[in-house]
Amino acid sequence: MAVALFIPCYLDQFYPNVAIATLELLESLGLDVVFPTDQTCCGQPMANTGCNNDCAPVARRFVEIFSPYETIVCPSGSCTSMVRNHYDDYFEKGDEKFQHVKNRTFDLCEFLYDELKIKELKSDGKPVRFPHKVSLHQSCHGLRELRLSSCSENMTKRENKVRGLLDLVEGIEWCTLSRVDECCGFGGTFAVNEPDVSASMGRDRIADHVASGSEVMVSADMSCLMHLQGLIRREKTPIQVMHVAEILAGRPLPS
Amino acid sequence: MTQVALPIVDRPAEKKIKLDHTNAARAFVTNPDRAPWHDESLWFVRSKRDKQASIIPEWEYLRSLASQVKTATIANLGDYLVEFERNATDAGAVVHWAADAKEHNRIVLGILRDHETTKIVKSKSMLTEECGLNHFLEDNGIDVVDTDLGERIVQLRHETPSHIVLPAIHLKKEEVGETFHEHLGTEKGAKDPKYLAEAARGHLRDKFLAGEVGITGVNFGIAETGGVVVCTNEGNADLGASLPRVHIACMGIEKLVPRLHDLGIFTRLLGRSATGQPITAYTSHFHGPRDENSELHIVLVDNGRSKLRQSDEFRAAMHCIRCGACMNTCPVYRRSGGHSYQATVPGPIGSVLSPTRDLKEHKSLPYACSLCGSCTDVCPVKIPLHHQLLAWRKEIGFMNLLSYDKRISMKAASILFRSAKLFSFAGWVGRKALKVLPHWVTHQRFNTWTIARELPKPPKESFRSWYAKNRNSETPKG
């Protein structure tokens, strides 16, 4: 299967290792992966600020770039949700290119779990191991817009796809949070518009992870982790962050 | 002797320039005691709600049903209102119609003056808060006593409720002790909740006995029977409506349900969503006045609801049954407190409703939200709250109400993202700058991100640059 990588703008520029891990993980599963180099951003910052006119050309450009590909995979629930759930404003209902992109854009975890249905993970022929205490930060858009797992408000039981994949990794010792799916306070431009509330939410989130005994918090969205890591590094909190792709690709805990 | 009509004092609403939510919230959220304590208190309520919801196997079905009933009721609201008026009148109630807050207040004052009364006891009603009834009545010489404990506390402190179900949730028991010491003569420094509640009970008992007219809100009006239903935990509405001879029930027109049969869907959802109780302690039905010497007045209030009904985008906000679950779950509300919203109804639903009244005045509220979506999933009547908040942002952008810096930065971002070359170049400049500039230049107060956080450590190259070097598109890696 041929797959186009959709790498969120901030990952491309600041977290290339997460993008490389995503690429190598997909390649290790035998996929033919390409990175369309014309891509930039899905337009979410503009859309979430209410600047639809500024978002529209970016969204249309995105669809032009990705419509030739059969499947589009993105290591971010939030950016995936933007394309799937919020692009309708910018396209005519019958736009076939758009409908194709909307229907065929997947978050990395749902792609591995639902489409490929992977049952084992190997890196260089050996089972992937991550012998550490890990806590899962469930990003809100993955959770409540893509339904990657059950959320605590909603009584519909769903499989936890991120956890399901990480359970294929050997050696993980799970740490349980007191608030399993509380928002970290990133929220895109919210982090800048409401800095006090955002930082307060982030500190509380980190405190919950630390109190669980976790060494590393893992998430399917690097944007939440970028905000949390910023707070962790400022306050020198003893915990690390990793994107789920890094662990699935067999990367060690950063030293 | 001809009676001289008393003049009506009707102060024009004070138009204050509102702070944006960010600034209004600052003192609360940066207070190291208050914000975590407020957050914990509300999280406790939400946890109780989760437990209650989880033991009802058909919880999600109930939510869908409630949402459907509301959609159908609002679609045929005119017919149901007429049916309600007919049945309520047949039962002996007097139904009044108020187009707006001013008319509502004048109707209530008119009834009070007809009965030559100056003492009223009032149970909790967000509608009367919305209409500014207390101030209006006080300006016209009426002594208004709020009988809900939380409401009475904030009334004594000349504050407004900070939550629609838990009006004094922003106050600690020590603060309540101080207020009661000042107004009710309780011991100085008292903070025992039982002692304070007893003091309030004694104080309110006298007020109930002296009250000549009782005013209540309405949780549900039933078109089929013309009855109104009032839900409380303290029984204060029952005392207030039953001791005096005259009961005035103030009701927003969206509070209707078609049939008595439908009520159970909502009462099952209301108590559980609001406070995590299986049902409110008192769910009282009023069908007409209680005897031939009594009167029941029902004031039906529009006050912008018809306008909201016209809106395809925001109509579902009329489903709201005022349970407050969206506030309890909202991580922003929990940390910033209800007063930071500077509106009668705070939290997610308030941030949807307030802009329907005055978008310019409340334009910061749709941004007081991280778009986490928890409110949408907790809402018992399925209002897509976070999508509506996003829709308001679009409206704000469309109406050109965005601040200059947001407009310019998003325009710049849009231009940047239209060219991969420009985007890569800007990224390269950003990474280089982070590497070479001293920390104090990149981390200063004009960069809001860095007030509390470090910027990411710049990697040596972007992914696209790595990809160009490590993957040749002509020889795809097999």
Side-chain angles (χ1 to χ4, degrees), chain A residues 96-122:
Chain A
E96 284 181 12
K97 281 184 178 176
F98 163 57
Q99 287 302 331
H100 168 74
V101 169
K102 175 179 161 138
N103 295 334
R104 295 298 300 168
T105 299
F106 299 95
D107 163 73
L108 173 68
C109 291
E110 66 178 359
F111 177 69
L112 299 177
Y113 195 88
D114 292 337
E115 295 287 305
L116 297 187
K117 300 186 170 59
I118 62 168
K119 294 282 179 275
E120 59 169 8
L121 271 171
K122 288 212 158 115

Side-chain angles (χ1 to χ4, degrees), chain A residues 5 7-16 19-20 23-24 27 31-41 43-55 57-58 61 85-86 89-90 140-141 143-145 147 151-156 178-183 185-205 223 226-231 233-235, chain B residues 21-22 25-26 29-30 35-36 39-40 43 46 49-50 53-54 56 59-60 63 329 331-332 334-336 364 367-375 377-378 386-387 390 393-398 402 406-407 410-411 413-421 423-424 426-428 430-431 434 439 443 448-467 471 473 476-478:
Chain A
L5 259 192
I7 296 298
C9 50
Y10 65 96
L11 274 189
D12 173 30
Q13 295 299 321
F14 287 101
Y15 298 98
I20 296 166
L23 172 71
E24 292 183 355
E27 285 174 343
L31 299 165
D32 181 8
V33 190
V34 277
F35 174 73
T37 50
D38 261 355
Q39 65 178 289
T40 55
C41 166
Q44 189 170 186
M46 288 83 94
N48 282 6
T49 308
C51 299
N52 271 30
N53 290 340
D54 294 320
C55 182
V58 178
R61 193 175 168 277
N85 299 322
H86 301 283
D89 283 359
Y90 311 104
C140 299
H141 286 178
L143 193 64
R144 302 197 184 89
E145 297 225 313
R147 301 293 182 195
C151 63
S152 53
E153 306 87 23
N154 193 290
M155 297 301 138
T156 309
S178 71
R179 300 185 187 184
V180 291
D181 51 20
E182 175 93 317
C183 175
F186 173 60
T189 52
F190 173 80
V192 177
N193 293 332
E194 291 261 0
D196 299 314
V197 179
S198 169
S200 162
M201 288 164 68
R203 285 191 200 100
D204 290 350
R205 211 63 214 114
S223 53
M226 173 170 72
H227 150 74
L228 294 171
Q229 191 186 43
L231 287 161
R233 286 182 46 214
R234 171 65 56 90
E235 296 176 9
Chain B
H21 179 270
T22 311
R26 186 155 293 133
V29 67
T30 55
D39 168 52
E40 284 291 338
W43 186 260
R46 213 213 91 178
R49 171 262 171 214
D50 293 350
S54 70
I56 306 280
W59 183 257
E60 294 303 329
R63 288 178 72 221
T329 206
V332 177
R334 274 189 262 121
R335 284 169 184 81
S336 59
S364 77
Y367 294 92
C369 163
S370 65
L371 296 175
C372 78
S374 179
C375 50
D377 275 346
V378 89
H386 77 293
H387 291 147
L390 190 56
R393 296 183 189 186
K394 284 175 192 162
E395 190 67 16
I396 288 163
F398 177 71
L402 269 177
K406 272 188 200 160
R407 267 205 323 264
M410 289 304 135
K411 200 153 278 321
S414 176
I415 292 166
L416 191 68
F417 291 140
R418 280 179 236 178
S419 154
K421 271 196 182 137
F423 168 71
S424 315
W428 179 83
R431 285 196 315 278
L434 274 183
H439 187 270
H443 292 70
T448 320
W449 177 272
T450 62
I451 294 170
R453 314 173 191 96
E454 290 299 301
L455 285 163
K457 275 186 190 152
K460 65 176 191 294
E461 62 181 348
S462 65
F463 173 69
R464 67 183 60 236
S465 150
W466 178 92
Y467 186 84
R471 293 289 183 278
S473 55
K477 202 180 167 195

Side-chain angles (χ1 to χ4, degrees), chain B residues 12-34:
Chain B
E14 283 173 55
K15 257 297 198 208
K16 280 190 229 152
I17 302 282
K18 301 226 161 164
L19 287 173
D20 61 20
H21 179 270
T22 311
N23 286 309
R26 186 155 293 133
F28 197 94
V29 67
T30 55
N31 182 322
D33 290 335
R34 191 144 318 242

Side-chain angles (χ1 to χ4, degrees), chain B residues 243-262:
Chain B
L243 286 172
R245 214 170 56 75
V246 181
H247 172 192
I248 305 172
C250 302
M251 170 178 160
I253 54 172
E254 84 285 11
K255 294 280 177 172
L256 275 186
V257 297
R259 300 158 299 179
L260 182 59
H261 180 73
D262 302 312

